[in-house]
Amino acid sequence: MKPEEITILSGKGGTGKTSITAAFASLAGEAVFCDCDVDAADLHLILKPDIQSTHPFISGSKAIIDADACSGCGLCLDVCRFDAVVQSGDNTFSIDALFCEGCRLCSRLCPEQAIRIEDSHNNFWYVSSTRFGTLVHAHMMPGEENSGKLVVTIRSKAREIATQNNIGRIINDGPPGIGCPVIASLSGVHKVLLVAEPSVSGLHDALRLVELTRKFGIYTLAVINKWDLNPELSQKLEEELRQQLVAVIGKIPFDRTFTDAMIAGLSITEFAPESEATLLLKNIWKKLEGRS
């Protein structure tokens, strides 16, 4: 049986998407979890995974200058459009890996063949056990590329684990925005839960994300987090989503308990099981499951 996949997304960062995902992890029962926000993964901070296996991920390539072979002509400095070549002194050159895009132009043009291109091995993905179930997650270093491909890799592993263990649900904590990692976290999923906030940028980015999920033909629901910080904008956001045929299945007020729970390394449903936010999240989860 193919497991049902639910991806939790937000049009912008900071909406509370991961806190809500962690709450769902405590409510879901048997499930496999996948942190698709590979550029800035943080679900592990709450789920506290015990890493069972580590896997390297090759993310593009970088140029390296052999100082002994370099004649100091400076041609690489002249041709690099990404300002990745650094000059030290009169004729000593090196590559800043954060700026290098691995385009290989410098290595092709170097008259001394002193520049080589090497694959980047700075990134890893993991299969871990948590108190809620298996978590597949990853870590990318700053400036690395192919985050969309890494999302595809870990989602594929999550599906494999769910299928092998006859687990019927996968919950993906998606990245913010509408870029390549988001697209990679959307393909083939059954449902999307959009977490939005009542701000001008939150409204704009939520509608962009709805446009994206519509193109994929994915059933999309929404939650408005911190709605009481701007009730008027919350109402406008709810109306705009309704016009886009996206049902708002819950509104969660601003609650500092979310922060206290994160500091404690717990989901809010564990940290404050009788709080208003927990009761609302339980109801939202039932609606997301289709049980009410």
Side-chain angles (χ1 to χ4, degrees):
M1 180 182 69
K2 184 178 180 180
E4 178 190 49
E5 279 194 74
I6 301 172
T7 296
I8 319 296
L9 291 175
S10 60
K12 61 180 291 295
T15 61
K17 170 181 56 62
T18 297
S19 293
I20 290 175
T21 303
F24 290 162
S26 69
L27 299 172
E30 192 175 43
V32 175
F33 307 97
C34 185
D35 191 346
C36 298
D37 190 3
V38 295
D39 289 299
D42 55 5
L43 186 59
H44 63 280
L45 299 176
I46 301 178
L47 267 56
K48 298 178 182 178
D50 179 14
I51 296 175
Q52 303 298 309
S53 61
T54 301
H55 309 269
F57 176 74
I58 297 176
S59 172
S61 54
K62 304 292 182 182
I64 297 176
I65 296 177
D66 182 348
D68 293 331
C70 177
S71 65
C73 70
L75 180 60
C76 56
L77 180 65
D78 293 336
V79 301
C80 181
R81 299 183 59 185
F82 304 103
D83 297 323
V85 181
V86 179
Q87 183 176 6
S88 304
D90 293 334
N91 59 354
T92 302
F93 299 90
S94 61
I95 302 293
D96 187 331
L98 284 177
F99 287 88
C100 180
E101 293 290 329
C103 71
R104 303 174 183 264
L105 180 62
C106 58
S107 65
R108 292 190 181 103
L109 297 180
C110 178
E112 306 298 334
Q113 297 184 333
I115 303 176
R116 67 183 186 275
I117 305 295
E118 291 189 354
D119 290 333
S120 176
H121 294 272
N122 295 323
N123 313 288
F124 299 90
W125 61 274
Y126 314 94
V127 178
S128 300
S129 60
T130 76
R131 62 191 182 279
F132 302 126
T134 300
L135 171 67
V136 187
H137 54 121
H139 175 71
M140 294 193 78
M141 294 295 290
E144 297 292 333
E145 57 187 73
N146 285 332
S147 55
K149 183 178 179 181
L150 180 52
V151 172
V152 171
T153 299
I154 61 176
R155 281 192 61 205
S156 176
K157 186 62 178 180
R159 286 194 297 268
E160 177 187 322
I161 292 170
T163 301
Q164 289 178 349
N165 294 278
N166 199 29
I167 297 173
R169 180 176 291 117
I170 299 170
I171 300 177
N172 300 315
D173 183 17
I178 60 170
C180 184
V182 175
I183 294 171
S185 71
L186 278 176
S187 59
V189 304
H190 300 85
K191 293 179 185 176
V192 165
L193 180 67
L194 166 61
V195 180
E197 66 174 21
S199 65
V200 174
S201 60
L203 172 61
H204 173 265
D205 294 337
L207 294 177
R208 288 200 309 163
L209 186 54
V210 169
E211 182 181 357
L212 179 63
T213 61
R214 183 186 298 115
K215 290 180 179 178
F216 276 83
I218 302 172
Y219 181 51
T220 303
L221 300 165
V223 167
I224 301 177
N225 194 25
K226 299 172 280 190
W227 73 268
D228 53 338
L229 294 182
N230 193 329
E232 291 182 2
L233 198 51
S234 290
Q235 183 177 354
K236 181 179 179 181
L237 176 57
E238 188 170 2
E239 291 172 354
E240 292 278 0
L241 290 171
R242 188 182 299 115
Q243 290 177 11
Q244 301 298 324
L245 303 180
V246 175
V248 175
I249 60 173
K251 295 194 292 185
I252 304 170
F254 176 77
D255 191 341
R256 295 185 184 275
T257 308
F258 276 102
T259 302
D260 296 335
M262 283 189 288
I263 293 172
L266 297 171
S267 67
I268 191 170
T269 49
E270 297 171 288
F271 184 80
E274 302 302 323
S275 67
E276 179 185 5
T278 292
L279 297 178
L280 288 169
L281 284 164
K282 286 181 177 179
N283 188 50
I284 291 167
W285 175 247
K286 288 180 180 179
K287 291 180 179 179
L288 186 60
E289 280 190 304
R291 292 194 285 125
S292 66

